Amino acid sequence: MADRRRSFFKEEILTYAYILLYIALSSGQIFFNKWVLSSKEINFPYPLGLTLLHMVFSSVLCFLLTKVFKIMKVEEGMTPEIYATSVVPIGAMFAMTLWLGNTAYLYISVAFAQMLKAIMPVAVFVLGVAAGLEVMSCRMLLIMSVISFGVLVASYGEININWIGVVYQMGGVVGEALRLIFMEIFVKRKGLKLNPISVMYYVSPCSAICLFIPWIFLEKPKIADGSWNFPPVILALNSMCTFALNLSVFLVITHTSALTIRVAGVVKDWVVVLLSALLFADTKLTLINLFGYAIAIAGVAAYNNHKLKKEASKHSSDDSENPESVPMVTTSGSNK
């Protein structure tokens, strides 16, 4: 009995350690990217190149870990047809999300970017309704209205609003919403079950290619002609932190549940908003900012609760029909 209690206690400690690791790495990566891109800090104003480096680094490490050292396993079942019709759209939207989201840091503060991202459930729901994946209801309409109102109030309270940055951030939100929609279609129609490492293995190279093409025309000439001094070790460390973040998501999902990662994500968002006011001079929070963001987060929490109940009901139904079925877990590996 005592051994069982000690084992349970160790598992609890390990679970909380993974969650704290995820929150620390996710928050730290956002600040690291802002620090690298900021003209007042490192001054490497090439968000497309930075994101491309992340994807190349992730692709290489995934290949080494799964195919060379075989520390992790890639799920089987991928075919050229599935890759072309499902992974490529997902990879393209993932590339768009990271590129536009990182570009927004050149124009707006980390805190304000985080507040704008709270509109994500609204974008996902609207696109889901258009794709036939979601059903409009009074409850969901109320939740979407609360989130939208909260983001509007937070935006109204922003002192130094830059509309170029807002457009970039909203573009990143649309890209992420489309990625999630494609992912859901991928699971429902193709029926392929992938763990987060497998998703990284297949999606990262595709995203890298999607980023490389515009990088050649948009940033390569600027980098070639620019007079910037950027230590390579910082680039490598930034990319390593991105991959470590992806692994932390894998550990949290593997040892806990989708609910845990969503709750941890909400906690992380508040940590980022509050800490950014201390770390960056361009972040000046107002009471209206915080009040609006609190309203939006309350709507996000209601949305997550609704989705998780729906998923739990679905999994319960699936398990009763097929006791050996295993639900798919996925992660974006996003560094934002």
Side-chain angles (χ1 to χ4, degrees):
M1 187 68 177
D3 291 339
R4 184 178 298 178
R5 287 180 178 176
R6 280 195 294 268
S7 177
F8 177 77
F9 182 72
K10 288 180 179 178
E11 284 293 325
E12 287 289 301
I13 293 296
L14 193 61
T15 297
Y16 284 115
Y18 288 145
I19 294 172
L20 290 175
L21 178 65
Y22 161 73
I23 293 175
L25 287 174
S26 184
S27 304
Q29 188 62 44
I30 292 173
F31 297 142
F32 200 171
N33 287 349
K34 173 68 174 181
W35 183 64
V36 168
L37 295 168
S38 175
S39 60
K40 297 180 181 179
E41 305 294 343
I42 291 297
N43 191 24
F44 185 77
Y46 305 108
L48 183 53
L50 184 66
T51 308
L52 172 61
L53 183 64
H54 291 167
M55 291 298 99
V56 171
F57 196 87
S58 178
S59 301
V60 172
L61 278 187
C62 278
F63 179 79
L64 291 176
L65 290 175
T66 57
K67 299 301 181 181
V68 178
F69 300 109
K70 298 183 178 180
I71 298 175
M72 298 176 177
K73 181 182 177 182
V74 175
E75 299 292 335
E76 303 295 333
M78 183 62 66
T79 66
E81 187 270 335
I82 292 178
Y83 194 91
T85 59
S86 299
V87 176
V88 170
I90 291 171
M93 291 302 102
F94 189 37
M96 172 182 169
T97 299
L98 298 180
W99 170 19
L100 297 182
N102 282 331
T103 303
Y105 290 150
L106 297 176
Y107 302 95
I108 59 178
S109 68
V110 169
F112 187 46
Q114 206 69 24
M115 292 177 186
L116 291 176
K117 281 199 294 183
I119 202 72
M120 179 71 69
V122 177
V124 173
F125 181 73
V126 170
L127 291 173
V129 171
L133 300 174
E134 298 282 358
V135 178
M136 183 65 72
S137 65
C138 293
R139 180 178 181 181
M140 290 305 296
L141 186 60
L142 176 61
I143 292 174
M144 297 302 110
S145 299
V146 169
I147 296 174
S148 300
F149 176 72
V151 172
L152 285 174
V153 171
S155 300
Y156 179 78
E158 180 66 14
I159 297 175
N160 300 315
I161 190 167
N162 185 307
W163 291 106
I164 296 177
V166 172
V167 170
Y168 274 118
Q169 186 62 27
M170 289 297 100
V173 167
V174 172
E176 176 66 1
L178 287 171
R179 185 192 69 84
L180 294 173
I181 294 298
F182 287 147
M183 188 74 86
E184 187 167 351
I185 294 174
F186 179 34
V187 175
K188 285 187 175 181
R189 295 183 181 176
K190 307 300 180 181
L192 188 64
K193 302 180 187 299
L194 298 177
N195 60 34
I197 291 298
S198 300
V199 174
M200 289 169 56
Y201 176 83
Y202 289 120
V203 171
S204 294
C206 177
S207 296
I209 294 173
C210 292
L211 290 165
F212 181 72
I213 296 173
W215 176 79
I216 292 177
F217 299 99
L218 298 178
E219 288 189 356
K220 185 176 181 295
K222 297 179 182 178
I223 292 177
D225 298 336
S227 58
W228 52 274
N229 181 21
F230 191 75
V233 66
I234 295 183
L235 274 173
L237 182 60
N238 185 265
S239 300
M240 181 64 75
C241 289
T242 301
F243 190 77
L245 170 60
N246 292 331
L247 288 183
S248 73
V249 175
F250 172 76
L251 290 172
V252 172
I253 293 178
T254 302
H255 288 82
T256 58
S257 65
L259 172 61
T260 304
I261 197 71
R262 291 186 184 187
V263 172
V266 173
V267 174
K268 180 264 298 181
D269 290 342
W270 273 108
V271 169
V272 170
V273 168
L274 297 177
L275 281 183
S276 63
L278 301 175
L279 298 176
F280 298 103
D282 65 346
T283 301
K284 292 179 174 59
L285 297 177
T286 66
L287 289 178
I288 298 178
N289 273 145
L290 296 176
F291 178 67
Y293 189 54
I295 294 174
I297 288 298
V300 171
Y303 173 80
N304 286 339
N305 182 61
H306 174 79
K307 291 290 289 184
L308 287 168
K309 285 183 177 179
K310 184 178 178 182
E311 291 173 9
S313 176
K314 178 183 176 182
H315 290 322
S316 176
S317 176
D318 291 343
D319 290 342
S320 64
E321 295 176 3
N322 181 12
E324 297 181 356
S325 64
V326 180
M328 174 182 177
V329 287
T330 61
T331 175
S332 66
S334 174
N335 61 352
K336 298 195 302 167

